[in-house]
Amino acid sequence: MLKALVEQGHDLVVAAVEVHTARRVLGSFSKSIVQAPSQVDKRYPLGRPAEGVADLLSLNGFADNASLKGRHHAWCQLATLFKPDLVITEHSPGALLMARALCIPVVHVGTGFTLPPEQFPMCFPGFAVGDNGKREQRHLDVFNKLIGSSGGQPLSHLHELFNGVAGRYLLSFAELDHLGPRDGVPYMGVEVPEDGERPVWPDAGQHQVFAYLKPFAALEGFLMAVNALKLSLLLVPDRIDPAILRRHKSSNIRVVEGRQSMKSVTRDADLIVCNGNHGTAAAAMLGGVPSLSFPLHQEQEACARRVASSSLGAMLPVKDGKAIPPLLETMLRSRAMQESCDKAASRYQDFDYQDSVSRMVREIGALL
């Protein structure tokens, strides 16, 4: 999308937390790539699970008024330097706050987690309203002081920071919207990359299971279940202790380090196992493959809950090792779940992410 806008004659300035990554991905067509103001020298633990967007903001330093004021000033300085006609932001409340304060039009893109719905309060699935409204109000009071100091329009609710913009696009599907589904915001879908290695499954075992996993408490329980059920597992480990993999080495488990072609994986797999990654869940849904998630944090749990509620898979707590064998057997035998996955894949059989890109480029171009 960004490259297409540049090809139309627009100048692109990128503010990124990880400048080296932005240079690698966007450097060939971006006019300038600069460091985004960010909180890097402090941590703000809650001591409890994040219950909603207000908690997420606090975890990222937005309750530290002195630090926030400094970062907001830095964002405004960037705007003064580059004088943008439009801000396109993904997962950047700081950029949204700056644009609101300086009355700069914004297009907000993101998943259902980073572009929360228009509701008060914005709670995560599984949590009651509780004190979340009060927490949002505390952020709102501080934000409005910063907005008002530059002559911007104050917010009446915190959700306006994310939704009171010139354009919104959800890079997701209704079935996978972390905090959805919702009306009024277009779902642009997810691009499933075709590049990567073609999967080579173990010769031994039954049912082809693909897993992309980080370490979690029940990991060894999962590997033990795979061996006990004699499943054919293709595993891409992410920072998993090699000693764990050696302990469960078998002819029906193949461990690979290279990134796999997810389109090829979904053509062959009977089940996909992950930590609740949104991109992996999207690949599984488009390919008509059930998925089992072991979420490690709030965003992954929200995605895994939507997968389960859409009858596209199941989720387990990361410590629940005993429940893994029967759940694997049930999922691999379930005709109802496979039918739900087949129906979802059929709904999106004509989906082409490039059509979504073309729409966003066309509509964003009209704002410039």
Side-chain angles (χ1 to χ4, degrees):
M1 178 185 72
L2 296 177
K3 186 176 182 180
L5 287 168
V6 171
E7 290 172 348
Q8 289 186 354
H10 303 295
D11 291 331
L12 175 65
V13 176
V14 176
V17 173
E18 295 185 358
V19 173
H20 66 285
T21 301
R23 289 184 63 187
R24 175 173 53 81
V25 177
L26 307 172
S28 63
F29 55 87
S30 175
K31 177 182 178 181
S32 300
I33 298 178
V34 299
Q35 179 68 52
S38 60
Q39 183 65 53
V40 295
D41 58 344
K42 290 184 180 179
R43 294 184 180 276
Y44 300 91
L46 295 173
R48 54 175 175 77
E51 298 180 8
V53 173
D55 281 346
L56 193 65
L57 289 168
S58 295
L59 279 168
N60 286 276
F62 283 85
D64 183 338
N65 292 348
S67 174
L68 174 60
K69 187 175 180 180
R71 282 179 284 142
H72 180 66
H73 174 73
W75 273 113
C76 291
Q77 288 292 99
L78 285 177
T80 300
L81 178 64
F82 291 105
K83 297 178 174 57
D85 298 305
L86 179 73
V87 172
I88 301 175
T89 179
E90 180 179 8
H91 197 26
S92 181
L96 289 167
L97 187 60
M98 171 272 290
R100 182 85 181 194
L102 299 181
C103 303
I104 302 171
V106 174
V107 170
H108 191 185
V109 301
T111 67
F113 195 79
T114 60
L115 203 173
E118 297 178 78
Q119 67 182 43
F120 173 78
M122 295 174 286
C123 298
F124 295 150
F127 291 99
V129 170
D131 291 330
N132 285 288
K134 295 179 181 178
R135 294 168 189 152
E136 287 193 11
Q137 187 62 49
R138 285 194 289 270
H139 285 300
L140 191 68
D141 292 342
V142 174
F143 290 180
N144 276 337
K145 288 181 181 178
L146 294 173
I147 292 169
S149 66
S150 298
Q153 182 68 31
L155 302 161
S156 59
H157 290 90
L158 189 59
H159 63 71
E160 287 184 13
L161 179 68
F162 305 94
N163 293 284
V165 294
R168 296 173 295 169
Y169 300 99
L170 279 164
L171 306 183
S172 186
F173 299 95
E175 296 85 349
L176 306 179
D177 182 353
H178 300 71
L179 305 180
R182 68 190 91 172
D183 298 320
V185 187
Y187 288 100
M188 295 290 101
V190 178
E191 182 176 21
V192 178
E194 296 189 31
D195 59 339
E197 299 176 4
R198 186 173 182 83
V200 178
W201 304 86
D203 293 330
Q206 59 181 341
H207 300 296
Q208 296 186 151
V209 179
F210 175 80
Y212 172 63
L213 293 168
K214 288 181 169 65
F216 62 99
L219 173 61
E220 294 203 65
F222 168 71
L223 294 173
M224 290 172 63
V226 166
N227 281 327
L229 297 172
K230 295 181 171 57
L231 303 180
S232 177
L233 174 66
L234 180 61
L235 171 63
V236 181
D238 186 350
R239 287 168 284 184
I240 292 177
D241 185 348
I244 293 177
L245 301 177
R246 287 195 296 271
R247 279 199 293 273
H248 300 279
K249 183 178 180 180
S250 69
S251 60
N252 56 288
I253 296 179
R254 182 169 187 260
V255 178
V256 294
E257 299 295 335
R259 188 163 62 88
Q260 304 294 291
S261 167
M262 289 307 296
K263 285 201 172 182
S264 297
V265 165
T266 57
R267 280 194 288 267
D268 300 332
D270 299 304
L271 179 68
I272 289 178
V273 183
C274 64
N275 294 117
N277 322 59
H278 180 255
T280 304
M285 185 190 75
L286 292 175
V289 183
S291 59
L292 171 61
S293 298
F294 296 94
L296 298 174
H297 52 68
Q298 195 67 55
E299 181 177 4
Q300 292 177 339
E301 182 174 341
C303 180
R305 282 176 178 268
R306 287 293 298 136
V307 168
S309 65
S310 299
S311 301
L312 301 174
M315 63 173 284
L316 276 178
V318 293
K319 296 181 180 179
D320 199 353
K322 293 182 179 180
I324 295 175
L327 182 58
L328 284 173
E329 286 188 294
T330 298
M331 293 184 72
L332 289 166
R333 292 175 180 173
S334 175
R335 290 186 178 180
M337 182 174 291
Q338 185 58 60
E339 287 175 0
S340 293
C341 292
D342 290 341
K343 288 179 181 178
S346 179
R347 282 197 297 274
Y348 294 106
Q349 63 181 343
D350 296 324
F351 169 75
D352 186 340
Y353 187 70
Q354 291 309 309
D355 293 337
S356 297
V357 170
S358 297
R359 173 181 171 177
M360 288 187 284
V361 170
R362 182 175 64 254
E363 294 177 357
I364 292 172
L367 296 172
L368 291 164

